[in-house]
Amino acid sequence: MLNLTLPSLLSRSLLLDLETRPDGKILKIGAVFQDQVFEKKGNFHLKDAIDALKKFGAGANYVLGHNLISHDLPLLAKQFPQLDLLNKPVIDTLYLSPLAFPENPYHRLVKNYKLVRQSINNPVADALLSGEIFKDQWHAFDQLKQSSPQTLDFFRFCFDNDDGQKGSWMGLRDVFSSLGATRLELEDSAQVISNITAGTVCRAALRSVFTQYAWDPAECATLAYCVAWLRVAGHNSVLPPWVRHQFPGTVSILKQLRDTDCGDPSCDYCSITHNATAQLKQYYGFDKFRQTPATNDGNSLQEVIVRHGMNDQSHLAILPTGGGKSLCFQLPALIRHARRGCLTIVISPLQALMKDQVDNLIEKT
């Protein structure tokens, strides 16, 4: 296991950032290594600049930056496939942010993968800022090690389960290893993910999902982003769009784990989260739904409608005035947001009524 400190890891890393056009043309290059700065801008010969960058970073063990794995390095690989630094392990701050800061996964970032710039179009400043972001991420992971060491161990497993197809994961693996994360075998990791997600997911679905993804080195990292989001499930946080794009399995995994009722009364998650009456009690304090109007078999029509909404089923519900229509969309909306951060849009011409309902909700929170 590596035992690198944060300063030693940074001292071994080439901080890199490219300024490019939409067509991939490299306009500027900025890099920092051991307090030395490399910069190319204006009119320069690209091959000569890359040769100089190769010499500049020859002593680095890692390449560190923001969105290197999906943007900067593929551009370099396309034009300079034999470039040595392409073989170095990568520490990508974009990939680490949702794991370190699941409740605020952008952490100094804005849309389209861009850093909040300290100076406009300055790749050297962006490279340095990546180093500062990495420091914040390191400290967040160090705190996670104290509060939930098994979560850190599982993150390492997700990026250590590599058969060579994803060499870029090596840098992320080394970060978790240096933080003291234990290397898990497959059987141990199955128990760990069960421990750290207890009460937050369906047990049966978890076993199925883990079997499907943990065996595939190219897909195992998807589980890390799901586990990170589960740490803040029910809060005001969503998966960043790039995660859903780069790891599309996160959407289907979280739907299986949180949105699908296994029907087993012994499941500590489904028996509560998918129980309409239990959720009614939790959010509104009522012990049961209105008995009228009733369905043809005498059950609460309000409860039937809520169940349909909770299960994402299409339906048309018509109730008389005072029949409890508002709860029929409010309760499923609250539940769906708690389960997966889903947004529910309500279209209503009754603005005065809606304001009264919002005011009442605010009073209850």
Side-chain angles (χ1 to χ4, degrees):
M1 180 177 70
L2 287 178
N3 190 26
L4 298 176
T5 63
L6 175 59
S8 62
L9 191 55
L10 284 171
S11 70
R12 297 178 180 216
S13 298
L14 173 71
L15 310 185
L16 177 66
D17 183 79
L18 304 180
E19 188 75 25
T20 65
R21 290 193 325 205
D23 62 2
K25 179 179 175 60
I26 299 174
L27 302 176
K28 299 179 183 179
I29 304 173
V32 179
F33 180 52
Q34 296 180 345
D35 297 327
Q36 300 298 309
V37 174
F38 176 91
E39 185 175 23
K40 291 293 181 181
K41 59 183 179 179
N43 295 321
F44 62 90
H45 188 272
L46 183 58
K47 185 178 184 305
D48 291 343
I50 295 301
D51 287 341
L53 176 64
K54 173 183 174 181
K55 294 178 181 178
F56 178 79
N61 299 111
Y62 299 92
V63 182
L64 188 154
H66 179 71
N67 199 26
L68 294 178
I69 293 175
S70 298
H71 183 261
D72 293 33
L73 295 184
L75 286 178
L76 289 175
K78 185 176 181 179
Q79 300 180 60
F80 305 97
Q82 304 304 316
L83 185 61
D84 289 349
L85 67 82
L86 297 173
N87 298 319
K88 297 180 186 291
V90 181
I91 300 174
D92 195 322
T93 57
L94 177 69
Y95 280 68
L96 289 173
S97 277
L99 305 178
F101 307 101
E103 199 163 11
N104 182 23
Y106 290 101
H107 187 62
R108 294 189 181 178
L109 308 179
V110 294
K111 294 180 180 179
N112 301 323
Y113 313 115
K114 294 180 181 178
L115 293 164
V116 175
R117 300 185 180 278
Q118 295 174 334
S119 55
I120 297 176
N121 298 326
N122 187 337
V124 171
D126 287 349
L128 288 169
L129 186 53
S130 294
E132 293 303 310
I133 291 174
F134 178 64
K135 292 178 184 178
D136 290 346
Q137 292 169 340
W138 178 281
H139 294 312
F141 287 131
D142 196 40
Q143 292 177 2
L144 180 62
K145 179 183 175 182
Q146 307 305 318
S147 62
S148 180
Q150 286 194 321
T151 300
L152 199 69
D153 295 343
F154 189 76
F155 286 166
R156 174 179 173 174
F157 166 79
C158 291
F159 294 101
D160 202 7
N161 190 11
D162 189 351
D163 63 357
Q165 298 178 12
K166 284 279 188 179
S168 54
W169 289 164
M170 292 172 58
L172 304 183
R173 175 204 64 190
D174 288 355
V175 168
F176 294 119
S177 176
S178 295
L179 281 157
T182 301
R183 188 179 190 279
L184 300 174
E185 299 298 333
L186 190 64
E187 289 186 6
D188 296 329
S189 62
Q191 184 59 54
V192 166
I193 192 174
S194 179
N195 293 342
I196 60 182
T197 61
T200 65
V201 300
C202 172
R203 299 289 95 195
L206 179 64
R207 289 191 294 269
S208 175
V209 162
F210 183 80
T211 300
Q212 178 183 354
Y213 282 84
W215 288 89
D216 187 346
E219 296 288 350
C220 192
T222 305
L223 295 175
Y225 293 99
C226 292
V227 166
W229 185 84
L230 287 170
R231 290 171 51 205
V232 295
H235 296 261
N236 190 24
S237 181
V238 295
L239 283 171
W242 78 264
V243 172
R244 298 198 302 269
H245 173 74
Q246 192 70 26
F247 302 97
T250 53
V251 176
S252 60
I253 288 174
L254 291 173
K255 186 173 180 62
Q256 291 178 67
L257 295 181
R258 304 268 293 176
D259 274 1
T260 305
D261 186 1
C262 69
D264 184 351
S266 67
C267 178
D268 55 357
Y269 174 78
C270 292
S271 61
I272 296 176
T273 306
H274 294 283
N275 184 315
T277 303
Q279 295 300 300
L280 178 69
K281 178 69 173 179
Q282 176 180 335
Y283 285 104
Y284 290 93
F286 300 137
D287 293 320
K288 59 183 179 180
F289 290 91
R290 291 189 179 188
Q291 296 304 302
T292 57
T295 60
N296 292 335
D297 55 3
N299 293 319
S300 167
L301 181 58
Q302 189 184 52
E303 181 177 359
V304 171
I305 295 170
V306 167
R307 288 185 184 279
H308 271 71
M310 289 174 57
N311 296 328
D312 293 339
Q313 295 175 307
S314 297
H315 58 280
L316 171 65
I318 302 175
L319 286 84
T321 300
K325 293 186 293 295
S326 297
L327 186 138
C328 291
F329 60 76
Q330 290 176 353
L331 183 55
L334 291 169
I335 294 169
R336 294 175 71 248
H337 178 266
R339 289 194 312 217
R340 286 206 302 125
C342 295
L343 175 67
T344 298
I345 298 177
V346 178
I347 301 174
S348 172
L350 305 177
Q351 296 184 18
L353 175 61
M354 292 301 295
K355 182 182 185 306
D356 181 60
Q357 293 171 345
V358 169
D359 291 342
N360 289 336
L361 281 172
I362 291 174
E363 288 180 4
K364 291 180 179 293
T365 58

